[in-house]
Coordinates of all heavy atoms in Angstrom, one line a residue:
D34 N -10.9 4.6 0.4 CA -11.4 3.3 1.0 C -10.7 2.0 0.5 O -11.0 1.1 1.1 CB -12.9 3.2 0.8 CG -13.7 4.2 1.6 OD1 -13.2 4.8 2.5 OD2 -14.9 4.5 1.1
L35 N -9.6 2.1 -0.3 CA -9.1 1.0 -0.9 C -8.4 0.0 0.3 O -8.6 -1.2 0.1 CB -8.1 1.3 -1.9 CG -7.6 0.2 -2.8 CD1 -8.7 -0.6 -3.5 CD2 -6.6 0.6 -3.9
A36 N -7.7 0.7 1.1 CA -7.1 -0.1 2.3 C -8.1 -0.9 3.0 O -7.9 -2.2 3.0 CB -6.2 0.7 3.2
P37 N -9.1 -0.4 3.5 CA -10.1 -1.3 4.2 C -10.8 -2.2 3.3 O -11.2 -3.3 3.7 CB -11.1 -0.3 5.0 CG -10.8 1.1 4.4 CD -9.5 1.1 3.8
L38 N -11.1 -1.8 2.0 CA -11.8 -2.7 1.1 C -10.9 -4.0 0.9 O -11.4 -5.0 0.9 CB -12.2 -2.0 -0.2 CG -13.3 -1.0 -0.2 CD1 -13.3 -0.2 -1.4 CD2 -14.7 -1.7 0.3
I39 N -9.7 -3.7 0.6 CA -8.7 -4.9 0.4 C -8.6 -5.7 1.7 O -8.7 -7.0 1.6 CB -7.3 -4.5 0.0 CG1 -7.3 -4.0 -1.4 CG2 -6.2 -5.5 0.2 CD1 -6.1 -3.2 -1.9
T40 N -8.6 -5.2 2.9 CA -8.5 -5.9 4.1 C -9.7 -6.7 4.3 O -9.8 -7.9 4.6 CB -8.3 -4.9 5.3 OG1 -7.1 -4.3 5.2 CG2 -8.3 -5.6 6.6
M41 N -10.9 -6.1 4.0 CA -12.1 -6.9 4.1 C -12.2 -7.9 3.1 O -12.7 -9.1 3.4 CB -13.4 -6.0 4.0 CG -13.6 -5.2 5.2 SD -15.1 -4.2 5.3 CE -14.7 -2.8 4.0
A42 N -11.9 -7.8 1.8 CA -11.8 -8.9 0.8 C -11.0 -9.9 1.1 O -11.2 -11.1 1.0 CB -11.4 -8.2 -0.5
R43 N -9.8 -9.7 1.7 CA -8.9 -10.7 2.2 C -9.4 -11.5 3.3 O -9.3 -12.8 3.5 CB -7.6 -10.2 2.7 CG -6.6 -9.8 1.5 CD -5.3 -9.1 1.9 NE -4.6 -10.0 2.9 CZ -3.9 -11.0 2.6 NH1 -3.5 -11.4 1.3 NH2 -3.3 -11.7 3.6
A44 N -10.2 -10.8 4.3 CA -10.7 -11.5 5.5 C -11.8 -12.4 5.0 O -12.0 -13.5 5.4 CB -11.3 -10.4 6.5
G45 N -12.6 -12.0 4.1 CA -13.7 -12.9 3.6 C -13.2 -13.9 2.6 O -13.7 -15.1 2.7
N46 N -12.2 -13.6 1.9 CA -11.6 -14.5 1.0 C -12.5 -15.3 0.1 O -12.4 -16.6 -0.1 CB -10.7 -15.5 1.7 CG -9.5 -16.0 0.8 OD1 -9.1 -15.3 -0.1 ND2 -9.1 -17.3 1.0
A47 N -13.6 -14.7 -0.4 CA -14.6 -15.4 -1.2 C -14.7 -14.7 -2.5 O -15.5 -13.7 -2.8 CB -15.9 -15.4 -0.5
P48 N -14.0 -15.2 -3.6 CA -14.0 -14.5 -4.8 C -15.4 -14.8 -5.6 O -15.9 -15.8 -5.4 CB -12.9 -15.1 -5.7 CG -12.9 -16.5 -5.1 CD -13.1 -16.3 -3.7
L49 N -15.9 -13.8 -6.4 CA -17.0 -14.1 -7.3 C -16.5 -14.9 -8.5 O -17.2 -15.6 -9.0 CB -17.6 -12.7 -7.7 CG -18.2 -11.8 -6.7 CD1 -18.6 -10.5 -7.2 CD2 -19.3 -12.6 -5.9
F50 N -15.2 -14.5 -8.8 CA -14.7 -15.3 -10.0 C -13.2 -15.2 -9.9 O -12.7 -14.2 -9.4 CB -15.1 -14.7 -11.3 CG -14.7 -15.3 -12.6 CD1 -15.2 -16.5 -12.9 CD2 -13.6 -14.9 -13.2 CE1 -14.6 -17.1 -14.1 CE2 -13.0 -15.4 -14.3 CZ -13.6 -16.6 -14.8

Side-chain angles (χ1 to χ4, degrees):
D34 291 339
L35 193 56
L38 290 172
I39 288 173
T40 302
M41 288 186 287
R43 285 180 50 87
N46 204 35
L49 297 176
F50 180 80

